[in-house]
């Protein structure tokens, strides 16, 4: 029998290096895509917020102060339309802030007018101012009506106290003048 010569064959089998590299590459790409997506979302959110803020500032004051009798909220809140959640929250926040500031200013302005009109008479001033506050809050509901009543009542109480104090001061001054005149006689 003939001698069979043996040959050695070397072969390198797959050890998974290429597959590990491919999966790492996929993870890196996925992480980059997630970062890009997060950045784009953040930019979109900032743009939506900026748009909501600027739209809220652009609304005319009378739309901020006018209360819709059906909803009990400022008419300006109807203008939110098709804004997204972030934009509409920013818009609503601006309208609420402007509503509060405008209500405070309007109550103070009307208080000055009534104080001058009733010549510092605390009772007449209180009656007129209370009626004015009630008429302002008549159609407002929820937080808006409550805010008008809270601010109005607080302002009325402070100014009434000031008018009473001024009345006492005027009475003391008048009494002091009478005493001085009687001393000269």
């Amino acid at each position: 029998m003939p001698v069979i010569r043996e040959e050695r064959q070397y072969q390198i089998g797959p050890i998974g290096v290429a597959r590990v590299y491919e999966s790492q590459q996929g993870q890196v790409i996925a992480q980059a895509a997630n970062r890009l997506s997060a950045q784009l979302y953040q930019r979109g959110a900032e743009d939506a917020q900026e748009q909501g803020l600027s739209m809220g500032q652009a609304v005319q004051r009378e739309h901020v102060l006018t209360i819709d009798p059906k909803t009990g909220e400022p008419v300006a809140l109807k203008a939110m339309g098709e804004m997204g959640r972030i934009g509409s929250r920013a818009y609503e926040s601006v309208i609420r802030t402007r509503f509060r500031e405008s209500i405070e200013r309007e109550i103070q302005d009307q208080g000055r007018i009534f104080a001058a009109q009733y010549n510092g008479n605390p009772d007449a001033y209180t009656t007129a101012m209370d009626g004015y506050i009630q008429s302002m809050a008549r159609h407002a509901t929820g937080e808006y009506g409550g805010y008008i009543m809270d601010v109005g009542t607080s302002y009325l109480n402070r100014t009434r106290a000031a008018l009473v104090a001024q009345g006492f001061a005027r009475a003391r001054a008048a009494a002091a003048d009478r005493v001085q005149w009687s001393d000269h006689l």
Side-chain angles (χ1 to χ4, degrees):
M1 202 148 206
V3 177
I4 300 177
R5 204 164 163 198
E6 249 183 71
E7 285 185 29
R8 286 191 168 189
Q9 295 179 358
Y10 293 98
Q11 196 175 4
I12 299 177
I15 59 172
V17 174
R19 289 191 184 135
V20 170
Y21 178 72
E22 286 173 3
S23 91
Q24 285 177 344
Q25 201 174 29
Q27 287 176 354
V28 168
I29 290 171
Q31 289 172 351
N34 286 340
R35 276 194 304 273
L36 180 62
S37 175
Q39 288 173 349
L40 290 175
Y41 175 80
Q42 184 64 31
R43 284 185 192 159
E46 289 170 1
D47 290 346
Q49 185 173 14
E50 189 174 310
Q51 180 187 18
L53 293 173
S54 66
M55 287 178 67
Q57 289 297 334
V59 173
Q60 294 177 349
R61 184 173 185 259
E62 56 266 10
H63 292 298
V64 173
L65 283 176
T66 304
I67 300 292
D68 182 359
K70 293 178 185 175
T71 63
E73 297 178 338
V75 172
L77 290 179
K78 286 183 179 179
M80 284 195 300
E82 295 294 319
M83 278 190 240
R85 188 173 62 171
I86 295 171
S88 62
R89 282 183 181 170
Y91 178 86
E92 188 174 350
S93 172
V94 169
I95 296 300
R96 283 181 177 176
T97 301
R98 287 186 61 200
F99 176 82
R100 288 182 177 126
E101 291 170 355
S102 295
I103 288 296
E104 289 172 13
R105 193 174 322 120
E106 187 169 323
I107 288 172
Q108 290 171 1
D109 291 347
Q110 192 62 44
R112 286 185 199 102
I113 290 169
F114 284 150
Q117 181 179 354
Y118 295 109
N119 205 17
N121 180 340
D123 294 330
Y125 170 81
T126 300
T127 302
M129 197 63 187
D130 187 52
Y132 181 75
I133 293 166
Q134 294 295 329
S135 72
M136 283 180 76
R138 184 174 306 131
H139 295 293
T141 58
E143 70 177 286
Y144 300 101
Y147 186 77
I148 292 170
M149 291 303 296
D150 290 347
V151 168
T153 303
S154 174
Y155 182 79
L156 176 59
N157 290 338
R158 286 191 321 266
T159 53
R160 178 175 170 64
L163 289 174
V164 168
Q166 290 171 1
F168 286 145
R170 282 194 300 269
R172 275 190 237 120
D177 284 346
R178 283 192 296 266
V179 168
Q180 287 178 352
W181 274 101
S182 66
D183 288 343
H184 292 293
L185 293 175

